[in-house]
Amino acid sequence: MAVETEKSVERYLAAEIAKMGGECLKYTNSLKSGYPDRICLLPGGHAFWVEVKGPGLKPRLLQWERIKRLRALGQRVFVADTFDAVDKILARYREGEP
């Protein structure tokens, strides 16, 4: 099993989304920081954001503010800090219950 780092968790997320036939897009905004790292698009019109952190790390205050705002807009936003966290997020989509 690979050592889990923020980069490895992000790669794992992208690989698992690809296996599901989707796209895992890196999100950057040069004018506003703090947005989640990835926008994940799955077949069937499912879309959600993922903030990727290293194991045991939590989003910074600005990141939590952005997450709250996106959720207030009806967006699904998750935080993943391990491979297991990624698996739990994707399990709901694999089972057809976003």
Side-chain angles (χ1 to χ4, degrees):
M1 182 64 114
V3 174
E4 292 185 31
T5 62
E6 182 172 340
K7 186 174 265 192
S8 70
V9 172
E10 195 166 12
R11 283 187 193 136
Y12 180 74
L13 171 66
E16 292 301 303
I17 292 289
K19 286 181 192 174
M20 296 170 72
E23 295 286 336
C24 185
L25 307 173
K26 180 80 172 169
Y27 181 77
T28 59
N29 184 330
S30 62
L31 301 176
K32 289 188 176 183
S33 61
Y35 282 94
D37 301 300
R38 295 287 182 150
I39 302 171
C40 301
L41 309 171
L42 291 174
H46 300 291
F48 56 94
W49 299 74
V50 180
E51 173 58 37
V52 181
K53 303 306 270 182
L57 299 177
K58 303 293 182 209
R60 292 172 285 127
L61 181 60
L62 178 59
Q63 291 173 319
W64 278 123
E65 292 300 319
R66 299 289 191 219
I67 289 168
K68 275 180 21 184
R69 175 68 178 137
L70 288 169
R71 287 177 175 165
L73 291 169
Q75 300 294 305
R76 287 195 167 90
V77 186
F78 303 99
V79 177
D81 65 340
T82 63
F83 298 163
D84 186 52
V86 169
D87 290 340
K88 286 178 181 171
I89 293 165
L90 298 183
R92 57 193 308 168
Y93 291 93
R94 287 183 175 122
E95 295 165 7
E97 296 181 30

